[in-house]
Amino acid sequence: MATTVETADGKKTKSVQYIEVDEVTIRFAGDSGDGMQLTGNQFTSTTAQLGNDLSTFPDYPSEIRAPAGTLYGVSGFQIHFSSKAIHTPGDRFDTLVAMNPAALKVNLKLLHEGGNIIVNTDAFDAKNLKLAKYDTSPLEDNSLKGYKVFPVPITTLTTAALEDTGLSKKDMMRSKNFFALGLLYWMYNRPMDQTLEWIQQKFGKLPAVADANTKALKAGYNFGNITETFTVQYEVRPAELPAGTYRNVTGNEATALGMVAATQKAGLPGFLGSYPITPASEILQELSHQKRFNFRTFQAEDEIAGICTAIGASYGGSLAFTTTSGPGMALKTEAIGLALMVELPLVIINVQRGGPSTGLPTKTEQSDLYQAILGRNGEAPVPVIAACSPAGCFYGAFEAARLAIKYMTPVILLTDGYIANGSEPWLIPNAEDLPDISVPFATDPENFKPYVRDEHLSRPWAVPGMEGFEHRIGGLEKQHITGNVSHDPANHQFMVEMRDRKVANIANDIPDQTVFGADEGELAIVGWGGTYGAIRSAVERLQSDGKSVAHIHVKHLNPFPKNLGDMLRRYKKVLIPELNLGQLAFLLRAQYRIDTITYSKVQGLPFTPGEIEDKANEILKSI
Amino acid sequence: MSNEEATKEQLDDQVKKLTPKDLASDQDVRWCPGCGDYSMLSQLQRTLPEIGVKKEDIAVIAGIGCSSRFPYYMSTYGFHGIHGRALAIASGLKAGHPKLSVWVSTGDGDCLSIGGNHFIHALRRNVDINVMMFNNRIYALTKGQYSPTSQHGQKTKTSPQGVIDHPFNPVLIALGAEGTFVARSMDRDPKHLKEMLLRMAQHKGTSFIDLLQNCVIFNDKAYDIYTNKETRGDNTVLLEHGKPLVFGNNRDKGIRLDGFRPQIVSLDDYSESDLLVHDEKSKELAFILGHMNDQPDFPMPLGVFLDIERPTYEEELDKHVQLAIEKEGAGDLNALLHNGATWEIEGNGK
């Protein structure tokens, strides 16, 4: 449908075509100082409000401000939004916003053929072209034919719009991301209200900055509206999702919310002992604002202190957490062993990133599974669960806390950088509907023994301050029932087996493994953690092509659900895509003696559905 | 014993009159015969009944090492942690449960070597815990390797040609880390030790005591010149708030200040009024006294170097919790879950 637009000043008219599409993927890309994450987040909030389903993927370098214009300094934010339910931030994008030549070069390969490129032509000078290793300007050498290129002098237009603000040129240029955002708001028919409000809130104390950003945003929108450059506006209708109240959450936000919810449902004060580390820091930041929930945050001097303060707080009767990422997890190892020896509840959250060592701090990976399950001295079983999406982090944190309290044990929750930073709409649960996880503290001082066990093999929780329950615990082996230090050989074997049995028995307390698709067939694609969305999208496509493919997504990794082994045996082939060299595959093969095919990707990047689809098709052909 | 009686009078009526026996656990104490740790255990068991805290509100936290077996021998709440981490565990316990009386038993290796980081950070935070550092200048439980307080040149299992690491001065580290209560005492002077433990209990904030303790097996007589009756007077000086620094077997010597430098003077030439008068409130003086026995011939100061006030970590954390509740109301989970921009979707989906 085409419409003729008359602008506010009535001088110009143009014909605009409205195209309704089901789904769109946009990539904002620029220097790490260009504010692309902010632009992406604003576009996301507005899009969430319009009721689209969405998924985002922030992708940025580990330097705060990498040198401007360089290929390694490119910061990107991808958003996939749709009128249907979606699971990933999208394989390839429809529109690329490139604030400079490096951003264009790094991202072009993932732009759909015929896709839109909005370039800031001001940044395509000799210096930036050279930094991006272009011999000739791609805007002039015909290399972009096959795409719809929209050259916009964003810097010039932004400074022109801000001429009368009295700001320096440098300050004016800071607003150019708002110009780009405004332009995209016009192009995808999104209202500016929410961002305008946000600007007032965020920069209320700096009226000049608020004014500049407001003007730049509106200038971008009007530029789209007025000029002849853009003749197409896209429309993406609200998605059909289950009824209810929604909000947009990142994985780290959802994790923090799940932690608070668990303390509330447990009726315990909350405690987080943590040391900042990418990409887990937001959880600590978020929770430092939740003190009204009687939730205390302790920014420790190091990772070891992070977990040890949490163990101390747990000993003192708080529901205690520690959050970290891979290298921090390595440092916490000894203390995890202590927590399991003293049998106190503790939730350890590892937001995995690229490893080993410092690895790829801002990039995602799933390579800490061995560490979570096996990485301690001694026979040291710890329940491990993994969240599969940003919103899934809420339930992951809650479930980890439930198990920790019920079984008096440390529990490891694995998330990863991809779902921790990514966001999606979340159907908000009612607090009343969340399960009660309150604690039956020890009540009978006469017969109290610290290591006597209940039907779940859990020992009683008695907290300093409770009269008559004074007792000693620690990392040395405990005598069964009395909890006294014991080096008795038979007791040690008994206690090792007891702790193992306690954790293994959790299999009776977790849901049976479910399957998406038929419960037998040619191919099962088995995943865990953040690969959920990519696998699900691929399996949906394969199934709609009539292929015999099922998706089995494992959330409980230690112990596994009771029916998992039998389930896996009902498929001819089992494909396991993992962002590691095959860690889940190793564990499944060891436990169930089944053959598996590993599809490994260790590039700091998530799988795309297309990659998994291709791999599945290749296997299906061979059956 | 007038000091002791006065403290007893202040006891809360509600607190049971505990005896040292009530504080002993049913476990056999397994330190070597003659170990200084026995004296420490006995003094803590004598002191705790006098601090006006119920038995169930006392927790003893430890790391790893001989001294760190301490919690097992107390009938209070106790936690034997992992090497070097007692202070982190204790800090978390106290931060989450402020009303407890928390005592940490740690050694010179546990506290200053593997646990050095937690030590300095506990002190700067001023968590209200009492840190008893058993300083025998040796790794004992691992059987005789040198520790961070072993003396330069000391021959140990891992330093057959003598230690080349310069030793830490625990008092100066504690002061440098902004400790608010720093003291020193010895296993061989139970009366002084008990007095110091009482002072620690009374102090709000991290109390640190450098407890000179004899290891009969691996470092016997390391402190002999300070504990032996014949040499003790000449080699130690008692720090008492408001009193001049007099020492010597015949109490015939004193310390005066020459600028910033301490100077040993004879009371034949000077009178007591010329001497340095101890002031527990002076950080500057604490550093001077902390340094003093690093120099040859100077006596080892025993007593309270510094006792000053600063808000405790858990008080401030609690204040933030209370302020947040006052300002924003007690947490409402539904409100939190719905925080920020939300939108409704009516039943158009599956």
Side-chain angles (χ1 to χ4, degrees):
Chain A
M1 181 175 91
T3 312
T4 300
V5 174
E6 188 168 336
T7 59
D9 58 10
K11 280 178 192 162
K12 264 191 174 179
T13 58
K14 71 170 175 180
S15 181
V16 174
Q17 193 189 2
Y18 287 91
I19 302 179
E20 195 173 318
V21 287
D22 280 343
E23 55 183 309
V24 169
T25 301
I26 302 171
R27 177 90 154 190
F28 297 94
D31 267 331
S32 30
D34 276 344
M36 291 297 99
Q37 302 305 321
L38 187 157
T39 308
N41 281 322
Q42 283 304 308
F43 195 93
T44 302
S45 311
T46 294
T47 296
Q49 283 282 294
L50 293 180
N52 294 123
D53 197 8
L54 67 86
S55 175
T56 66
F57 176 46
D59 183 20
Y60 49 89
S62 62
E63 290 81 10
I64 301 293
R65 289 276 183 277
T70 56
L71 291 166
Y72 53 85
V74 174
S75 171
F77 187 101
Q78 190 168 320
I79 172 169
H80 178 197
F81 57 104
S82 175
S83 58
K84 298 195 166 123
I86 52 166
H87 311 294
T88 74
D91 286 24
R92 303 172 81 89
F93 22 92
D94 307 293
T95 294
L96 169 64
V97 178
M99 299 298 277
N100 65 12
L104 177 66
K105 187 159 205 181
V106 167
N107 290 292
L108 191 62
K109 57 184 178 295
L110 285 176
L111 181 64
H112 277 300
E113 223 169 289
N116 303 314
I117 305 174
I118 297 166
V119 283
N120 176 15
T121 50
D122 290 326
F124 280 66
D125 57 15
K127 184 184 161 211
N128 280 334
L129 288 166
K130 198 176 160 205
L131 280 168
K133 309 209 184 314
Y134 276 118
D135 295 330
T136 57
S137 170
L139 303 181
E140 287 153 16
D141 63 11
N142 221 18
S143 63
L144 298 179
K145 83 174 176 211
Y147 301 102
K148 287 198 274 300
V149 181
F150 300 99
V152 185
I154 294 177
T155 314
T156 310
L157 290 166
T158 305
T159 39
L162 304 184
E163 220 167 355
D164 56 354
T165 56
L167 289 173
S168 70
K169 185 136 191 241
K170 201 176 149 199
D171 285 339
M172 287 184 199
M173 276 171 62
R174 291 217 176 103
S175 294
K176 66 180 186 290
N177 58 332
F178 281 93
F179 185 97
L181 179 64
L183 180 52
L184 270 286
Y185 275 168
W186 179 83
M187 201 167 162
Y188 288 97
N189 203 14
R190 326 256 99 182
M192 287 184 284
D193 321 15
Q194 198 177 314
T195 298
L196 289 170
E197 212 174 282
W198 180 85
I199 291 172
Q200 285 314 319
Q201 268 179 18
K202 179 91 182 166
F203 302 106
K205 284 183 187 152
L206 303 163
V209 178
D211 182 43
N213 289 338
T214 301
K215 281 187 169 143
L217 182 76
K218 288 182 175 168
Y221 193 93
N222 291 336
F223 180 80
N225 199 8
I226 296 163
T227 62
E228 298 291 333
T229 323
F230 296 89
T231 54
V232 174
Q233 244 185 329
Y234 298 92
E235 182 72 41
V236 182
R237 289 188 178 280
E240 298 200 344
L241 296 167
T245 308
Y246 284 75
R247 68 184 280 192
N248 196 51
V249 281
T250 67
N252 276 341
E253 280 167 4
T255 302
L257 292 172
M259 292 160 73
V260 176
T263 61
Q264 293 292 296
K265 299 301 278 194
L268 297 177
F271 185 94
L272 171 63
S274 182
Y275 187 75
I277 182 170
T278 302
S281 305
E282 286 88 3
I283 305 174
L284 170 61
Q285 287 163 204
E286 189 72 30
L287 287 165
S288 66
H289 293 285
Q290 306 308 343
K291 296 211 173 66
R292 67 187 181 283
F293 286 91
N294 199 13
F295 202 117
R296 286 166 174 76
T297 51
F298 188 109
Q299 183 173 317
E301 57 272 24
D302 59 28
E303 296 282 358
I304 298 171
I307 186 168
C308 286
T309 53
I311 290 172
S314 176
Y315 180 55
S318 294
L319 176 50
F321 300 84
T322 187
T323 49
T324 190
S325 187
M329 193 70 175
L331 286 166
K332 292 183 197 294
T333 301
E334 185 191 12
I336 298 172
L338 173 67
L340 87 89
M341 201 68 166
V342 295
E343 302 192 43
L344 282 170
L346 174 70
V347 176
I348 302 135
I349 297 167
N350 176 359
V351 185
Q352 297 165 96
R353 67 189 215 186
S357 188
T358 313
L360 307 174
T362 61
K363 309 290 179 185
T364 199
E365 210 164 279
Q366 295 185 298
S367 46
D368 297 347
L369 181 58
Y370 284 166
Q371 186 197 38
I373 292 182
L374 308 168
R376 284 168 293 281
N377 66 304
E379 290 287 350
V382 170
V384 178
I385 60 182
C388 66
S389 69
C393 291
F394 176 85
Y395 300 99
F398 194 90
E399 171 73 350
R402 179 186 78 85
L403 294 177
I405 291 171
K406 186 165 175 183
Y407 294 92
M408 294 290 284
T409 178
V411 175
I412 295 170
L413 169 67
L414 296 173
T415 76
D416 61 53
Y418 169 67
I419 57 175
N421 289 326
S423 65
E424 66 179 353
W426 175 45
L427 175 58
I428 305 168
N430 277 319
E432 299 72 40
D433 299 338
L434 294 168
D436 175 48
I437 51 174
S438 59
V439 188
F441 283 110
T443 51
D444 177 10
E446 296 300 313
N447 298 305
F448 175 74
K449 293 275 182 280
Y451 277 75
V452 76
R453 290 173 193 278
D454 67 9
E455 70 272 28
H456 311 298
L457 306 182
S458 307
R459 74 174 194 89
W461 196 2
V463 171
M466 283 169 60
E467 190 182 349
F469 293 91
E470 294 86 354
H471 65 282
R472 275 65 55 196
I473 54 175
L476 287 170
E477 182 59 287
K478 298 285 163 283
Q479 178 73 47
H480 177 48
I481 298 177
T482 68
N484 288 330
V485 173
S486 167
H487 291 179
D488 171 39
N491 177 71
H492 180 52
Q493 171 125 15
F494 176 84
M495 290 297 274
V496 165
E497 287 173 358
M498 174 68 83
R499 288 186 289 262
D500 194 57
R501 202 154 68 239
K502 178 173 86 165
V503 171
N505 279 351
I506 293 176
N508 298 318
D509 195 8
I510 59 176
D512 270 352
Q513 181 62 50
T514 55
V515 57
F516 176 72
D519 59 7
E520 59 181 8
E522 305 271 290
L523 178 66
I525 306 185
V526 181
W528 68 280
T531 53
Y532 168 85
I535 298 176
R536 179 55 56 93
S537 301
V539 170
E540 279 176 354
R541 288 185 212 168
L542 290 157
Q543 287 177 352
S544 69
D545 289 347
K547 307 218 163 123
S548 170
V549 179
H551 179 198
I552 296 170
H553 201 80
V554 188
K555 289 182 181 171
H556 285 89
L557 294 151
N558 190 37
F560 287 130
K562 278 189 295 189
N563 61 331
L564 181 61
D566 288 340
M567 179 182 278
L568 294 175
R569 290 188 192 97
R570 291 200 289 266
Y571 299 88
K572 284 187 188 155
K573 297 275 182 192
V574 174
L575 169 66
I576 308 181
E578 292 185 80
L579 302 178
N580 58 51
L581 295 182
Q583 300 192 4
L584 177 64
F586 173 88
L587 297 168
L588 289 175
R589 291 168 80 113
Q591 182 141 348
Y592 301 120
R593 280 166 281 169
I594 53 159
D595 198 13
T596 61
I597 303 162
T598 288
Y599 179 27
S600 170
K601 178 173 180 179
V602 196
Q603 302 171 4
L605 293 167
F607 280 113
T608 65
E611 287 170 331
I612 292 167
E613 200 183 348
D614 291 349
K615 184 73 187 174
N617 278 322
E618 184 193 313
I619 294 166
L620 287 167
K621 256 184 245 162
S622 73
I623 295 176
Chain B
M1 294 289 127
S2 62
N3 196 353
E4 228 173 299
E5 278 157 20
T7 321
K8 272 182 184 162
E9 275 172 19
Q10 293 161 10
L11 267 183
D12 185 340
D13 287 345
Q14 289 190 332
V15 177
K16 274 195 239 157
K17 298 286 188 288
L18 296 167
T19 66
K21 247 189 173 171
D22 295 325
L23 288 161
S25 79
D26 59 354
Q27 300 295 295
D28 293 336
V29 182
R30 294 207 200 166
W31 287 314
C32 308
C35 175
D37 288 354
Y38 285 97
S39 163
M40 311 288 200
L41 178 64
S42 151
Q43 291 322 311
L44 189 66
Q45 286 169 344
R46 279 162 207 254
T47 306
L48 289 179
E50 297 180 17
I51 65 171
V53 175
K54 295 179 192 167
K55 187 175 150 186
E56 64 268 22
D57 289 336
I58 298 168
V60 183
I61 314 297
I64 297 291
C66 293
S67 60
S68 291
R69 298 292 173 95
F70 209 98
Y72 294 123
Y73 308 139
M74 299 286 294
S75 68
T76 61
Y77 280 94
F79 196 120
H80 180 219
I82 44 177
H83 204 187
R85 318 303 170 197
L87 283 167
I89 295 168
S91 297
L93 175 61
K94 184 72 180 177
H97 199 332
K99 84 166 195 184
L100 300 175
S101 171
V102 179
W103 294 77
V104 173
S105 61
T106 177
D108 42 311
D110 194 54
C111 186
L112 299 178
S113 204
I114 182 167
N117 201 23
H118 312 306
F119 178 56
I120 57 176
H121 288 279
L123 289 163
R124 84 178 164 91
R125 288 193 187 104
N126 204 32
V127 190
D128 184 16
I129 52 182
N130 307 295
V131 185
M132 305 176 289
M133 192 193 79
F134 298 63
N135 184 359
N136 56 16
R137 294 186 172 166
I138 197 80
Y139 282 176
L141 199 65
T142 48
K143 299 195 172 70
Q145 304 82 9
Y146 62 91
S147 91
T149 51
S150 294
Q151 300 298 286
H152 192 265
Q154 189 176 333
K155 289 189 177 171
T156 73
K157 279 193 182 163
T158 47
S159 58
Q161 298 154 289
V163 171
I164 56 177
D165 304 26
H166 190 77
F168 265 145
N169 178 330
V171 164
L172 288 181
I173 300 177
L175 293 171
E178 301 290 341
T180 54
F181 182 98
V182 181
R184 182 185 285 134
S185 189
M186 318 190 285
D187 55 358
R188 296 290 164 92
D189 189 347
K191 191 166 158 250
H192 185 255
L193 176 52
K194 186 173 171 212
E195 193 189 317
M196 291 297 107
L197 292 173
L198 265 176
R199 289 285 307 273
M200 288 170 77
Q202 286 156 4
H203 176 76
K204 255 180 52 185
T206 310
S207 317
F208 170 71
I209 187 157
D210 180 23
L211 287 167
L212 309 184
Q213 175 247 333
N214 192 42
C215 173
V216 284
I217 306 297
F218 295 109
N219 202 15
D220 196 21
K221 297 199 165 44
Y223 297 115
D224 194 51
I225 59 161
Y226 309 121
T227 54
N228 182 327
K229 269 194 183 135
E230 278 152 39
T231 51
R232 175 178 171 162
D234 284 334
N235 290 299
T236 61
V237 57
L238 212 55
L239 303 177
E240 292 174 290
H241 186 59
K243 294 195 180 162
L245 272 67
V246 179
F247 73 109
N249 281 348
N250 305 315
R251 293 193 61 79
D252 55 355
K253 288 183 276 193
I255 306 287
R256 70 177 286 271
L257 275 190
D258 177 15
F260 296 117
R261 284 170 185 273
Q263 192 182 34
I264 298 173
V265 293
S266 161
L267 287 183
D268 294 343
D269 309 328
Y270 287 86
S271 75
E272 285 199 10
S273 59
D274 299 320
L275 299 181
L276 168 59
V277 174
H278 185 45
D279 178 2
E280 294 171 353
K281 306 294 165 195
S282 165
K283 274 182 164 185
E284 298 80 1
L285 183 60
F287 275 102
I288 290 172
L289 293 170
H291 265 298
M292 192 168 71
N293 66 301
D294 290 346
Q295 306 153 64
D297 304 327
F298 276 85
M300 166 87 81
L302 299 170
V304 177
F305 288 80
L306 186 71
D307 181 3
I308 55 172
E309 292 268 325
R310 202 168 76 227
T312 69
Y313 181 89
E314 70 276 10
E315 263 173 5
E316 300 225 277
L317 184 57
D318 233 28
K319 219 183 280 169
H320 284 190
V321 170
Q322 297 317 322
L323 259 174
I325 292 171
E326 246 168 62
K327 258 176 74 181
E328 306 157 48
D332 171 344
L333 184 55
N334 271 320
L336 175 72
L337 299 180
H338 285 79
N339 189 31
T342 63
W343 65 95
E344 295 293 327
I345 287 184
E346 283 166 23
N348 61 352
K350 304 136 241 182

